[in-house]
PDB file of all heavy atoms in Angstrom:
ATOM      1  N   ILE A 468     124.540  74.136  85.009  1.00 94.00           N
ATOM      2  CA  ILE A 468     124.853  72.974  85.859  1.00 94.00           C
ATOM      3  C   ILE A 468     124.894  71.718  84.999  1.00 94.00           C
ATOM      4  O   ILE A 468     125.795  70.885  85.126  1.00 94.00           O
ATOM      5  CB  ILE A 468     123.828  72.829  87.002  1.00 94.00           C
ATOM      6  CG1 ILE A 468     124.050  73.936  88.038  1.00 94.00           C
ATOM      7  CG2 ILE A 468     123.942  71.458  87.665  1.00 94.00           C
ATOM      8  CD1 ILE A 468     122.997  73.987  89.125  1.00 94.00           C
ATOM      9  N   ALA A 469     123.910  71.593  84.085  1.00 94.00           N
ATOM     10  CA  ALA A 469     123.869  70.435  83.181  1.00 94.00           C
ATOM     11  C   ALA A 469     125.101  70.403  82.279  1.00 94.00           C
ATOM     12  O   ALA A 469     125.614  69.330  81.947  1.00 94.00           O
ATOM     13  CB  ALA A 469     122.600  70.465  82.347  1.00 94.00           C
ATOM     14  N   LEU A 470     125.585  71.598  81.904  1.00 94.00           N
ATOM     15  CA  LEU A 470     126.767  71.685  81.045  1.00 94.00           C
ATOM     16  C   LEU A 470     128.072  71.634  81.853  1.00 94.00           C
ATOM     17  O   LEU A 470     129.162  71.732  81.281  1.00 94.00           O
ATOM     18  CB  LEU A 470     126.725  72.995  80.237  1.00 94.00           C
ATOM     19  CG  LEU A 470     125.621  73.094  79.172  1.00 94.00           C
ATOM     20  CD1 LEU A 470     125.536  74.516  78.625  1.00 94.00           C
ATOM     21  CD2 LEU A 470     125.865  72.098  78.037  1.00 94.00           C
ATOM     22  N   LYS A 471     127.922  71.506  83.198  1.00 94.00           N
ATOM     23  CA  LYS A 471     129.065  71.447  84.121  1.00 94.00           C
ATOM     24  C   LYS A 471     129.950  72.691  84.013  1.00 94.00           C
ATOM     25  O   LYS A 471     131.178  72.620  84.108  1.00 94.00           O
ATOM     26  CB  LYS A 471     129.888  70.173  83.885  1.00 94.00           C
ATOM     27  CG  LYS A 471     129.084  68.908  84.153  1.00 94.00           C
ATOM     28  CD  LYS A 471     129.895  67.654  83.973  1.00 94.00           C
ATOM     29  CE  LYS A 471     129.038  66.421  84.257  1.00 94.00           C
ATOM     30  NZ  LYS A 471     129.781  65.164  84.052  1.00 94.00           N
ATOM     31  N   ASN A 472     129.293  73.809  83.825  1.00 94.00           N
ATOM     32  CA  ASN A 472     129.990  75.096  83.773  1.00 94.00           C
ATOM     33  C   ASN A 472     129.740  75.806  85.106  1.00 94.00           C
ATOM     34  O   ASN A 472     128.815  76.612  85.246  1.00 94.00           O
ATOM     35  CB  ASN A 472     129.476  75.928  82.602  1.00 94.00           C
ATOM     36  CG  ASN A 472     130.283  77.197  82.379  1.00 94.00           C
ATOM     37  OD1 ASN A 472     130.871  77.728  83.312  1.00 94.00           O
ATOM     38  ND2 ASN A 472     130.301  77.667  81.151  1.00 94.00           N
ATOM     39  N   LYS A 473     130.576  75.483  86.101  1.00 93.00           N
ATOM     40  CA  LYS A 473     130.371  76.000  87.455  1.00 93.00           C
ATOM     41  C   LYS A 473     130.469  77.520  87.510  1.00 93.00           C
ATOM     42  O   LYS A 473     129.713  78.181  88.236  1.00 93.00           O
ATOM     43  CB  LYS A 473     131.393  75.389  88.417  1.00 93.00           C
ATOM     44  CG  LYS A 473     131.024  74.019  88.909  1.00 93.00           C
ATOM     45  CD  LYS A 473     131.957  73.581  90.029  1.00 93.00           C
ATOM     46  CE  LYS A 473     131.554  72.202  90.539  1.00 93.00           C
ATOM     47  NZ  LYS A 473     132.432  71.764  91.641  1.00 93.00           N
ATOM     48  N   GLU A 474     131.390  78.054  86.768  1.00 93.00           N
ATOM     49  CA  GLU A 474     131.607  79.503  86.808  1.00 93.00           C
ATOM     50  C   GLU A 474     130.341  80.258  86.409  1.00 93.00           C
ATOM     51  O   GLU A 474     129.911  81.189  87.097  1.00 93.00           O
ATOM     52  CB  GLU A 474     132.761  79.875  85.871  1.00 93.00           C
ATOM     53  CG  GLU A 474     133.096  81.364  85.898  1.00 93.00           C
ATOM     54  CD  GLU A 474     134.195  81.733  84.914  1.00 93.00           C
ATOM     55  OE1 GLU A 474     134.829  80.824  84.352  1.00 93.00           O
ATOM     56  OE2 GLU A 474     134.396  82.942  84.713  1.00 93.00           O
ATOM     57  N   LYS A 475     129.724  79.846  85.296  1.00 95.00           N
ATOM     58  CA  LYS A 475     128.506  80.504  84.821  1.00 95.00           C
ATOM     59  C   LYS A 475     127.327  80.214  85.755  1.00 95.00           C
ATOM     60  O   LYS A 475     126.491  81.086  86.015  1.00 95.00           O
ATOM     61  CB  LYS A 475     128.169  80.025  83.407  1.00 95.00           C
ATOM     62  CG  LYS A 475     129.059  80.619  82.321  1.00 95.00           C
ATOM     63  CD  LYS A 475     128.605  82.034  81.983  1.00 95.00           C
ATOM     64  CE  LYS A 475     129.268  82.542  80.728  1.00 95.00           C
ATOM     65  NZ  LYS A 475     128.793  83.902  80.378  1.00 95.00           N
ATOM     66  N   ALA A 476     127.256  78.976  86.236  1.00 95.00           N
ATOM     67  CA  ALA A 476     126.169  78.607  87.145  1.00 95.00           C
ATOM     68  C   ALA A 476     126.232  79.465  88.407  1.00 95.00           C
ATOM     69  O   ALA A 476     125.205  80.000  88.873  1.00 95.00           O
ATOM     70  CB  ALA A 476     126.247  77.129  87.506  1.00 95.00           C
ATOM     71  N   VAL A 477     127.446  79.626  88.967  1.00 95.00           N
ATOM     72  CA  VAL A 477     127.623  80.436  90.175  1.00 95.00           C
ATOM     73  C   VAL A 477     127.327  81.906  89.876  1.00 95.00           C
ATOM     74  O   VAL A 477     126.725  82.611  90.698  1.00 95.00           O
ATOM     75  CB  VAL A 477     129.048  80.262  90.744  1.00 95.00           C
ATOM     76  CG1 VAL A 477     129.340  81.322  91.806  1.00 95.00           C
ATOM     77  CG2 VAL A 477     129.212  78.869  91.330  1.00 95.00           C
ATOM     78  N   HIS A 478     127.720  82.370  88.678  1.00 95.00           N
ATOM     79  CA  HIS A 478     127.483  83.764  88.293  1.00 95.00           C
ATOM     80  C   HIS A 478     125.996  84.105  88.398  1.00 95.00           C
ATOM     81  O   HIS A 478     125.619  85.121  89.022  1.00 95.00           O
ATOM     82  CB  HIS A 478     127.975  83.983  86.859  1.00 95.00           C
ATOM     83  CG  HIS A 478     127.535  85.295  86.269  1.00 95.00           C
ATOM     84  ND1 HIS A 478     128.123  86.496  86.617  1.00 95.00           N
ATOM     85  CD2 HIS A 478     126.550  85.593  85.360  1.00 95.00           C
ATOM     86  CE1 HIS A 478     127.521  87.471  85.949  1.00 95.00           C
ATOM     87  NE2 HIS A 478     126.576  86.951  85.178  1.00 95.00           N
ATOM     88  N   TRP A 479     125.142  83.267  87.803  1.00 97.00           N
ATOM     89  CA  TRP A 479     123.703  83.561  87.811  1.00 97.00           C
ATOM     90  C   TRP A 479     123.077  83.258  89.163  1.00 97.00           C
ATOM     91  O   TRP A 479     122.124  83.942  89.583  1.00 97.00           O
ATOM     92  CB  TRP A 479     122.997  82.806  86.684  1.00 97.00           C
ATOM     93  CG  TRP A 479     123.320  83.393  85.346  1.00 97.00           C
ATOM     94  CD1 TRP A 479     124.094  82.865  84.360  1.00 97.00           C
ATOM     95  CD2 TRP A 479     122.920  84.685  84.878  1.00 97.00           C
ATOM     96  NE1 TRP A 479     124.201  83.718  83.301  1.00 97.00           N
ATOM     97  CE2 TRP A 479     123.484  84.860  83.582  1.00 97.00           C
ATOM     98  CE3 TRP A 479     122.142  85.712  85.407  1.00 97.00           C
ATOM     99  CZ2 TRP A 479     123.284  86.008  82.833  1.00 97.00           C
ATOM    100  CZ3 TRP A 479     121.945  86.871  84.652  1.00 97.00           C
ATOM    101  CH2 TRP A 479     122.506  87.005  83.388  1.00 97.00           C
ATOM    102  N   THR A 480     123.626  82.270  89.870  1.00 96.00           N
ATOM    103  CA  THR A 480     123.131  81.984  91.221  1.00 96.00           C
ATOM    104  C   THR A 480     123.366  83.187  92.121  1.00 96.00           C
ATOM    105  O   THR A 480     122.490  83.583  92.909  1.00 96.00           O
ATOM    106  CB  THR A 480     123.842  80.751  91.809  1.00 96.00           C
ATOM    107  OG1 THR A 480     123.603  79.631  90.967  1.00 96.00           O
ATOM    108  CG2 THR A 480     123.330  80.441  93.204  1.00 96.00           C
ATOM    109  N   LYS A 481     124.537  83.780  92.009  1.00 96.00           N
ATOM    110  CA  LYS A 481     124.886  84.944  92.840  1.00 96.00           C
ATOM    111  C   LYS A 481     123.995  86.138  92.509  1.00 96.00           C
ATOM    112  O   LYS A 481     123.543  86.863  93.411  1.00 96.00           O
ATOM    113  CB  LYS A 481     126.358  85.323  92.643  1.00 96.00           C
ATOM    114  CG  LYS A 481     126.858  86.393  93.608  1.00 96.00           C
ATOM    115  CD  LYS A 481     128.351  86.612  93.446  1.00 96.00           C
ATOM    116  CE  LYS A 481     128.860  87.604  94.489  1.00 96.00           C
ATOM    117  NZ  LYS A 481     128.220  88.920  94.414  1.00 96.00           N
ATOM    118  N   ILE A 482     123.717  86.350  91.215  1.00 97.00           N
ATOM    119  CA  ILE A 482     122.828  87.451  90.820  1.00 97.00           C
ATOM    120  C   ILE A 482     121.445  87.255  91.444  1.00 97.00           C
ATOM    121  O   ILE A 482     120.851  88.194  91.998  1.00 97.00           O
ATOM    122  CB  ILE A 482     122.729  87.547  89.283  1.00 97.00           C
ATOM    123  CG1 ILE A 482     124.034  88.144  88.731  1.00 97.00           C
ATOM    124  CG2 ILE A 482     121.531  88.394  88.855  1.00 97.00           C
ATOM    125  CD1 ILE A 482     124.112  88.176  87.222  1.00 97.00           C
TER     126      ILE A 482
END
Side-chain angles (χ1 to χ4, degrees):
I468 288 173
L470 292 170
K471 298 182 180 178
N472 188 333
K473 278 189 179 181
E474 183 183 350
K475 285 281 192 178
V477 167
H478 168 76
W479 288 109
T480 301
K481 188 174 184 301
I482 286 175

